[in-house]
Amino acid sequence: SCLQTSLSIWGWGSLGLVLFLANFGPCTMFSFACCILCFVGGGLVIIFLFGKSNSERYLEQCEHSFLPCTSVGIPKCIEEMKREARPIKIDRRLTGANIIDEPLQQVIQFSLRDYVQYWYYTLSDDESFLLEIRQALQYALIQFSARSKETDWQPYFTTRLVDDFGTHLRVFRKAQQRIAEKGDQMKDQAEELVDTFFEVEVEMEKEVCRDLVCTSPKDEEGFLRDLCEVLLYILLPPGDFQNKIMRYFVREILSRGILLPLINQLSDPDYINQYVIWMIRDSNCNYEAFMNIIKLSDNIGELEAVKDKASEELQYLRSLDTAGDDINTIKNQINSLLYVIKVCDSRIQRLQSGKEIDTVKLAANFGKLCTVPLDHILVDNVALQFFMDYMQQTGGQAHLFFWMTVEGYRVTAQQQLEVLQGRQKDGKHQTNQTKGLLRAAAFGVYEQYLSEKASPRVNIDDNLVAKLAEKLNHEDPTPEIFDDIQRKVYELMLRDDRFYPSFKQNVLYVRMLAELDMLKDPSFRGSDDGEGESFNGSPTSSINLSLDDLSNVPCDETVQLHAYISDTGVCNDHGKTYALYAITVHRRNANSEETWKTYRRYSDFHDFHMRITEQFENLANILKLPGKKTFNNMDREFLEKRKKDLNAYLQLLLNPEMMKASPALAHYVYDFLENKAYSKGKGDFARKMDTFVNPLRNSMRNVSNAVKSLPDSLAEGMTKMSDNMGKMSERLGQDIKQSFFKVPPLIQKTYSDPDHCRVAAPIDDNVDDNIPLRVMLLLMDEVFDLKERNQWLRRNIKNLLQQLIRATYGDTINRKIVDHVDWMTSPEQVADAVKRFRDAFWPNGILAETLPRRDKAVRMRTRVAGKTKLLEVMPDELKHIIGAETTRKGILRVFEMFQHTQLNKRMVYVFLERFLETLFPQNKFHELFNKLHSRSKQMQRYKQRLHSTQAPSLQK
């Protein structure tokens, strides 16, 4: 039906249209359309005219009404907009110090130019917005400067900063230990280290963990935004802070434009390595230190980078066309590069194969080791610690402690008697009191070790003990009263197979040699590279072998060594002129023959002579080193004469009969003639300070002599201090006894585990007792890991030295530390820091471009150079005090800590947080940071573990 209806409509419509066109024609349609348009147009014209006339009449009626006239306001606004901008006056005072304000103003100007103006001027020419931002920044800096002037920065720099660094190092050390305990189960050790590090941080801090901020860029940006907004709330006026547009602009400039790039740069391991090298740029790289780093490296990337560079240099040297004297220099350089490549290859193969061995155990099974006499062990604090551990294992500790206690008694007695003699000369009489104290101390030693009640008791001839008891009862005590028994105890430790002879066969003896730096580093046999160039690197000898290669060397190897000085010359190094002697060395064994040249100064000969005559006293009467000459020592005639005398010295030294008489001498000779930079080991100061007891005795005597020359008023005070020092050494033996006999665990833990608290936690902040110095000493303990192992003696020496420093120079050292902090925070140093920041971000006033990441090989070689520099700059005295191996491990641990970007960020944020807590103590920044870090995954896991462990106890 619908279809029929639609068809009918179309039908009738079509019929009507056809009839209309048939009657009127096609032109009628156009005429009809024109009529309609004319009708509509005429109507619109009439309406317009009528409306205009009515509007004019209405406006005339309202001319005097309340509405303002608009014909004047609009042109005035246009006129104001067309006027030129007035010059804006800016108050450039910020901190009150012109030397700081000028670079700060430049930083503000550059920041606005490069972060705001470059896009703002495309939107508007009005500078009022820029002015508002600049004034807001300046106001914030003024408030910041005012807060800084009111803040005492000494506790932050001397205590909190050092404590934060030491705690960061402690967390890193604990993380390394946990990974080592897990074995080889990790696929990515670097990632596992980061995760383990933040696990330990939660256990250490207990309230905060910074894993999200350090590992997630998105969370890091959010953290900086929140932090900058809080700072703006504190520093800006309320009106400016409520302006959201300006606040967000300033926040983004501070967080993303300044803080984030700065933190990223400070956290970059490559930047830190370059900065370390720059800081110690004055020290020359030592060949031996460089080879030690290569041989100790466990990073294949480092080894491959060094190997590639050495190969590149090798190809360059082989391409040179040289003749004459230059060819010898080139050959020596080629030999050195071949040696480096061979060491790198050997180390890479061992790391890739995963066949790392216990080098100490391997060395313990190797027969040819240096022999350190017992008398040297007893006076060297590093060696004594290992011997003490061994004596404790064998049950002979009583003999060793008796010997040490007698040494302490002798020092005390000598010092007290010297002071007593000085008082008697001045007419003061305290003889009975002093002798009574000495008698009491002597009876204390007797009761502890020799009486029937002593436990354990030193087993010695009863006749000697009876004679000693008789002397104690009827004679005044003397410093030498125990000498006879002490000599017998020494002979017992020396001869008895249970003690010193067995100690030389124990693994502790090898560890002792490593700490004394008497186990040399890797060397390799000569080889031919297939192109006619023989490799004459370091000669192979039993003591010079690496611990990795000891198992490959036969113990019955016979070596013949011949050497003579072939030439001499004068060198000029950085303005220093000295003579240099070229020694040609021939080494022959059953399988090969080698020849090389090494270069030594007269000072090297002198140090070598001092070393062997100290070790082998009988050589002092046989070997005579040519004497020194102060003036005209560079004359050609004198150098030829000295060359002849040194040649005679070498021939006598290398005489086979001399070697047979002192078998251990060969190790020292091989080390001296090796083709490497000669390491003097101990400096003159270290050689003079080679013992622990003797320096203490000398200090006692010096104090006593100083007391004699002082007025009575000062002498009395100095005498009290000297008495306290004597009591310290007297207590040394008692402390040894108590530490090993009265306390079953060697270090009995008190209220908390010190490894799970901050480094400076044991220090009471309310007691102003040389806190900066004490924190520095605690940091030294943490760097070199003295508390981790059973190093009782080292800790006691440190404690004794700390007491001596506090008794004598503690206030002076603390004053120097405080003065240095004042210098660091002075306007000149702050201005210098601002200028360095400005020049780093805007060199020559232009925004620095983001530098491309350096090539991996370059970064790896920078790491090697940084480690080499750090080992080179370490003083020999430090190695002598705490041991070469401990020093090396401590330095390398600190360096390794800086090779992880996430961990570096954590340390930077810790420093920043402590800085803000110190600057704004009233704003509860500590609670704020805990809230900002509350989303940490590690923190949530720690709370879950803590809750799961506490729930069962609460139920019980």
Side-chain angles (χ1 to χ4, degrees), residues 111 132 146 187 438 446 532 551 573 623 668 697 728 730 826:
S111 300
E132 291 293 334
K187 295 181 180 180
L438 290 179
Y446 176 82
S551 58
D573 184 15
L623 293 173
Y668 294 88
R697 181 187 297 116
M728 292 175 198
E730 183 179 355
S826 63

Side-chain angles (χ1 to χ4, degrees), residues 45-67:
V45 170
I46 294 173
I47 292 172
F48 174 75
L49 294 175
F50 178 77
K52 180 180 179 182
S53 59
N54 288 340
S55 298
E56 289 176 351
R57 289 196 301 271
Y58 180 75
L59 289 175
E60 289 177 357
Q61 295 176 1
C62 299
E63 187 176 1
H64 302 287
S65 67
F66 60 90
L67 292 175

Side-chain angles (χ1 to χ4, degrees), residues 179-354:
I179 290 180
E181 292 172 358
K182 294 179 181 178
D184 297 329
Q185 301 174 0
M186 295 82 64
K187 295 181 180 180
D188 188 348
Q189 190 171 1
E191 183 178 352
E192 183 71 15
L193 176 63
V194 172
D195 293 339
T196 308
F197 178 91
F198 288 109
E199 288 180 7
V200 180
E201 183 194 20
V202 175
E203 299 174 2
M204 188 82 69
E205 299 285 353
K206 295 182 175 60
E207 296 180 350
V208 65
C209 183
R210 303 169 181 85
D211 56 336
L212 282 182
V213 175
C214 300
T215 58
S216 172
K218 182 178 179 180
D219 289 303
E220 182 181 14
E221 293 178 5
F223 172 82
L224 288 177
R225 287 194 187 98
D226 294 339
L227 181 60
C228 290
E229 192 149 356
V230 172
L231 291 176
L232 293 177
Y233 173 77
I234 296 174
L235 298 175
L236 291 181
D240 291 342
F241 182 77
Q242 296 300 327
N243 187 341
K244 291 185 178 181
I245 297 178
M246 186 185 68
R247 184 174 83 230
Y248 290 160
F249 272 118
V250 176
R251 184 191 70 180
E252 292 300 314
I253 292 174
L254 291 177
S255 62
R256 294 180 57 85
I258 297 178
L259 286 181
L260 188 60
L262 180 62
I263 292 172
N264 288 334
Q265 184 178 21
L266 294 177
S267 305
D268 183 15
D270 188 49
Y271 171 80
I272 296 174
N273 296 338
Q274 295 180 64
Y275 187 71
V276 168
I277 295 173
W278 177 83
M279 286 184 64
I280 50 182
R281 60 191 178 278
D282 295 334
S283 66
N284 296 322
C285 279
N286 182 276
Y287 174 78
E288 187 172 0
F290 169 72
M291 293 309 302
N292 282 338
I293 293 300
I294 296 299
K295 297 160 188 174
L296 294 173
S297 176
D298 57 356
N299 189 309
I300 296 179
E302 292 179 358
L303 298 170
E304 289 179 343
V306 173
K307 176 187 171 184
D308 293 342
K309 189 65 176 178
S311 300
E312 179 183 337
E313 291 293 327
L314 185 62
Q315 292 178 1
Y316 170 75
L317 291 175
R318 285 173 173 171
S319 66
L320 295 178
D321 185 13
T322 57
D325 295 336
D326 291 339
I327 194 170
N328 294 326
T329 303
I330 298 288
K331 284 185 176 180
N332 288 334
Q333 293 176 356
I334 289 176
N335 290 336
S336 298
L337 291 173
L338 286 171
Y339 178 59
V340 171
I341 293 173
K342 200 162 190 178
V343 171
C344 291
D345 283 335
S346 175
R347 188 64 183 159
I348 290 173
Q349 291 175 5
R350 188 174 294 280
L351 291 173
Q352 289 178 342
S353 63

Side-chain angles (χ1 to χ4, degrees), residues 442-455:
F443 268 109
V445 175
Y446 176 82
E447 291 292 334
Q448 276 188 326
Y449 298 103
L450 302 174
S451 66
E452 296 294 337
K453 300 178 181 179
S455 177

Side-chain angles (χ1 to χ4, degrees), residues 357-640:
I357 58 177
D358 191 338
T359 55
V360 173
K361 289 183 179 179
L362 181 59
N365 296 326
F366 185 69
K368 295 184 179 181
L369 295 173
C370 289
T371 299
V372 182
L374 179 60
D375 55 346
H376 283 65
I377 292 176
L378 293 177
V379 296
D380 187 287
N381 59 288
V382 175
L384 180 59
Q385 183 266 326
F386 291 96
F387 187 57
M388 185 182 297
D389 287 348
Y390 175 78
M391 293 293 282
Q392 185 191 8
Q393 294 176 7
T394 58
Q397 62 268 39
H399 301 79
L400 178 59
F401 297 154
F402 171 76
W403 188 93
M404 295 175 62
T405 305
V406 171
E407 285 294 309
Y409 167 80
R410 184 186 294 110
V411 171
T412 303
Q414 289 176 349
Q415 184 267 333
Q416 292 289 346
L417 291 178
E418 289 177 1
V419 173
L420 178 61
Q421 292 175 0
R423 289 178 176 176
Q424 289 177 345
K425 291 181 181 179
D426 296 336
K428 298 178 181 180
H429 300 283
Q430 293 182 350
T431 306
N432 294 333
Q433 181 180 359
T434 302
K435 290 183 177 180
L437 292 174
L438 290 179
R439 180 175 286 106
F443 268 109
V445 175
Y446 176 82
E447 291 292 334
Q448 276 188 326
Y449 298 103
L450 302 174
S451 66
E452 296 294 337
K453 300 178 181 179
S455 177
R457 184 174 181 267
V458 175
N459 295 321
I460 204 69
D461 189 359
D462 292 337
N463 293 329
L464 290 177
V465 176
K467 289 181 181 179
L468 175 63
E470 185 70 17
K471 289 181 180 180
L472 290 175
N473 290 325
H474 299 91
E475 298 179 10
D476 291 335
T478 62
E480 300 80 16
I481 193 170
F482 292 102
D483 282 3
D484 293 338
I485 297 181
Q486 187 188 32
R487 193 176 301 110
K488 288 292 183 181
V489 170
Y490 175 82
E491 292 177 358
L492 178 65
M493 292 190 295
L494 179 65
R495 311 291 181 191
D496 197 318
D497 292 338
R498 297 173 299 164
F499 304 141
Y500 177 68
S502 298
F503 173 62
K504 292 191 295 183
Q505 307 299 324
N506 192 273
V507 67
L508 288 173
Y509 184 78
V510 183
R511 295 185 184 276
M512 180 194 75
L513 293 179
E515 290 286 8
L516 296 175
D517 209 14
M518 299 179 73
L519 284 176
K520 296 299 177 182
D521 299 315
S523 60
F524 296 85
R525 297 180 182 277
S527 64
D528 198 88
D529 62 356
E531 298 183 10
E533 296 170 346
S534 63
F535 170 65
N536 298 320
S538 299
T540 305
S541 65
S542 60
I543 192 60
N544 290 324
L545 295 174
S546 74
L547 293 177
D548 293 338
D549 300 323
L550 286 174
S551 58
N552 300 326
V553 181
C555 296
D556 57 349
E557 182 179 10
T558 59
V559 178
Q560 295 180 2
L561 198 66
H562 303 280
Y564 64 94
I565 300 177
S566 56
D567 197 6
T568 182
V570 178
C571 296
N572 191 305
D573 184 15
H574 299 289
K576 295 182 179 179
T577 304
Y578 56 86
L580 201 63
Y581 300 91
I583 306 174
T584 301
V585 185
H586 300 278
R587 181 184 183 278
R588 181 185 304 165
N589 57 27
N591 300 322
S592 63
E593 182 176 352
E594 296 173 292
T595 302
W596 68 89
K597 277 190 177 182
T598 188
Y599 299 89
R600 296 289 180 260
R601 299 173 57 178
Y602 175 80
S603 60
D604 299 334
F605 276 95
H606 184 268
D607 183 86
F608 170 71
H609 180 74
M610 294 291 295
R611 187 179 296 186
I612 61 174
T613 51
E614 287 179 2
Q615 190 72 16
F616 310 96
E617 296 180 358
N618 58 323
L619 296 181
N621 299 324
I622 302 175
L623 293 173
K624 299 298 181 183
L625 188 70
K628 294 183 178 180
K629 185 179 180 182
T630 305
F631 302 103
N632 299 325
N633 55 5
M634 295 298 159
D635 293 344
R636 191 65 192 175
E637 295 181 1
F638 174 77
L639 293 179
E640 288 296 329

Side-chain angles (χ1 to χ4, degrees), residues 719-735:
T719 300
K720 291 181 179 179
M721 183 184 72
S722 179
D723 292 342
N724 293 333
M725 294 169 68
K727 293 177 182 178
M728 292 175 198
S729 10
E730 183 179 355
R731 288 198 301 266
L732 178 62
Q734 298 177 1
D735 292 342

